[in-house]
């Protein structure tokens, strides 16, 4: 899959969250939302949804990383060709199962391991409050090669192709 914005090329893509409420923070430079000084680069798009709303894989691919850190919190990185899609601030915990980092969200009935293959639009997690966040939302990042891409551009192209 190339960075192709021709008509018809995005019909396999899924909007990444159920129960959409609002876009709460765009991609690009911004002042820190948690009180830090100066500007920071926001590498994704923040999409507010009620806590517990299901997150859906934007595209089919394989899970290359299950994240568990202070910034992203519980998160996933899925690789689809030259693209990577990143999901942060999920519900649940990360545990190692049979040597593989695994997102476990019992309430949501989900278990996602590194190396797992994911179809487009599959439920992969739920909106939570893990990591550095002031309210329940999905932080959704898109990388093409080693460049961050503004997810709003991709959503616009998806909408046009619908
Ligand atoms: Zn964000």
């Amino acid at each position: 899959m190339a960075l192709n914005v021709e008509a018809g090329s995005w019909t396999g893509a899924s909007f990444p969250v159920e129960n959409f409420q609002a876009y709460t923070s765009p991609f690009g430079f911004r002042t820190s939302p948690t009180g830090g000084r100066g500007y920071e680069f926001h590498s994704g798009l923040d999409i507010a949804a009620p806590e517990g709303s299901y997150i859906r894989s934007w595209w089919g691919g394989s899970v290359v990383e299950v994240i568990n850190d202070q910034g992203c919190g519980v998160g996933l990185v899925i690789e689809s060709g030259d693209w990577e899609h990143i999901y942060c601030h999920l519900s649940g915990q990360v545990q190692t199962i049979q040597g593989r980092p695994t997102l476990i969200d019992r309430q949501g009935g989900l278990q996602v391991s590194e190396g797992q293959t994911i179809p487009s639009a599959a439920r992969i997690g739920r909106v939570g409050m893990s990591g550095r966040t002031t309210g329940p939302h999905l932080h959704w990042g898109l990388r093409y090669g080693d460049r961050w891409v503004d997810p709003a551009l991709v959503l616009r192209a998806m909408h046009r192709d619908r």
Side-chain angles (χ1 to χ4, degrees):
M1 185 178 27
L3 178 51
N4 188 342
V5 289
E6 286 166 34
S9 52
W10 297 101
T11 48
S14 168
F15 191 76
V17 68
E18 297 179 11
N19 308 319
F20 169 85
Q21 287 179 318
Y23 299 111
T24 47
S25 189
F27 173 90
F29 286 92
R30 67 178 184 184
T31 53
S32 174
T34 50
R37 285 158 196 246
Y39 287 84
E40 62 174 26
F41 180 67
H42 185 229
S43 60
L45 173 67
D46 289 347
I47 308 174
E51 201 164 1
S53 298
Y54 281 99
I55 294 163
R56 290 176 176 269
S57 184
W58 167 68
W59 204 279
S62 61
V63 179
V64 291
E65 192 181 352
V66 176
I67 300 168
N68 190 12
D69 67 25
Q70 290 203 322
C72 180
V74 175
L76 294 171
V77 182
I78 297 176
E79 189 181 83
S80 306
D82 291 330
W83 290 86
E84 283 186 336
H85 24 136
I86 293 97
Y87 306 81
C88 289
H89 313 310
L90 275 51
S91 300
Q93 299 113 47
V94 177
Q95 284 173 29
T96 302
I97 295 181
Q98 292 173 337
R100 298 195 299 172
T102 300
L103 161 64
I104 298 172
D105 175 359
R106 287 199 179 82
Q107 249 188 294
L110 295 170
Q111 186 166 317
V112 179
S113 295
E114 266 183 30
Q116 193 172 323
T117 300
I118 304 285
S120 178
R123 286 174 164 179
I124 51 172
R126 289 187 309 144
V127 172
M129 288 280 287
S130 61
R132 199 176 68 118
T133 175
T134 54
H137 72 279
L138 169 66
H139 170 95
W140 183 42
L142 286 176
R143 211 155 42 203
Y144 180 73
D146 52 8
R147 278 188 11 222
W148 292 106
V149 174
D150 182 352
L153 298 176
V154 170
L155 288 175
R156 232 168 279 155
M158 284 164 55
H159 186 74
R160 191 195 53 203
D161 285 0
R162 196 159 288 151

